[in-house]
Amino acid sequence: YSNWPDAPNQDISNLWLAYAGVVFTPCEAFTGIVSVATLETLNAYAAPYPTFDILGRRFSPLSNLSFLDKKNDKDLAWDVSLKGIYRYSEDLQIEAGWSHLFVEDGLSEGSFNIGNGLGFEGGTAQDDADYFYVDTKLSF
C-alpha cells in the first residue's frame, strides 16, 4: 500500500516506481500501514558539463556546447511511510502519518520526470525531506 496512486499530480513519465507495504489491523478500529517506495528514471538526463553551484544556483558556462555533457544518476529517491487510521465511529475517522524521502544523486542532480517528461525536477541540495500530517474525516 502506498500514497503514490492517490497522488494529485499524475503527469509523471520517464520513470519507474516500485513500492511494497504491509497493512495490519490489530483491532477493528485501527489500521496501520507501513510502505516503502523507490523511484528511478528510465533515461538519465545528460546535463551540461562542467556545472558549478554558486549561491544555490547552477551555472554552466559551456552549456551551448551540447557535446560536453555528463549523464546524471538514474536513482532518484526512496520513500518510507507510516500511516495510522483510527475509526472512532462510523462517522468520524482520524488519520496520522509520516513519510521520509531519502534523496539519491539522480534527484539532487536533476531529471525530466514531471509534466509528462517535459518538466525539470531536482536541485542543488541533497537534503532528505520529512512530511507529517494529521487528517480527520467526518461523514454526515
Side-chain angles (χ1 to χ4, degrees), residues 85-107:
I85 303 168
Y86 176 65
R87 286 171 290 290
Y88 181 76
S89 68
E90 279 187 35
D91 301 327
L92 179 61
Q93 173 179 304
I94 301 168
E95 180 178 322
W98 165 76
S99 291
H100 184 81
L101 182 74
F102 295 94
V103 176
E104 298 289 333
D105 288 339
L107 191 58

Side-chain angles (χ1 to χ4, degrees), residues 3 5 17 21 25 37 42 44 47 60 62-63 69 82 87 94 116 132:
N3 291 333
L17 165 67
T25 308
L42 297 174
S60 302
L62 305 175
S63 61
D69 63 12
L82 302 172
R87 286 171 290 290
I94 301 168
N116 296 312
F132 298 94

Side-chain angles (χ1 to χ4, degrees), residues 11-140:
D11 62 348
I12 56 175
S13 101
N14 186 35
L15 77 108
W16 69 269
L17 165 67
Y19 58 92
V22 175
V23 178
F24 56 95
T25 308
C27 65
E28 187 177 326
F30 181 78
T31 301
I33 301 163
V34 179
S35 63
V36 176
T38 182
L39 291 90
E40 184 175 305
T41 193
L42 297 174
N43 294 306
Y45 172 58
Y49 184 80
T51 300
F52 305 99
D53 294 332
I54 300 173
L55 300 174
R57 297 225 177 239
R58 287 210 171 135
F59 178 65
S60 302
L62 305 175
S63 61
N64 289 334
L65 304 174
S66 61
F67 60 90
L68 287 176
D69 63 12
K70 179 183 170 214
K71 281 235 185 219
N72 289 350
D73 199 319
K74 287 188 172 190
D75 294 327
L76 297 177
W78 283 86
D79 177 74
V80 176
S81 298
L82 302 172
K83 180 191 293 190
I85 303 168
Y86 176 65
R87 286 171 290 290
Y88 181 76
S89 68
E90 279 187 35
D91 301 327
L92 179 61
Q93 173 179 304
I94 301 168
E95 180 178 322
W98 165 76
S99 291
H100 184 81
L101 182 74
F102 295 94
V103 176
E104 298 289 333
D105 288 339
L107 191 58
S108 64
E109 294 168 351
S111 185
F112 284 89
N113 300 112
I114 58 174
N116 296 312
L118 300 173
F120 184 77
E121 64 180 341
T124 56
Q126 292 185 351
D127 298 336
D128 291 350
D130 287 294
Y131 174 68
F132 298 94
Y133 71 93
V134 176
D135 183 34
T136 57
K137 276 186 194 173
L138 179 61
S139 303
F140 51 92

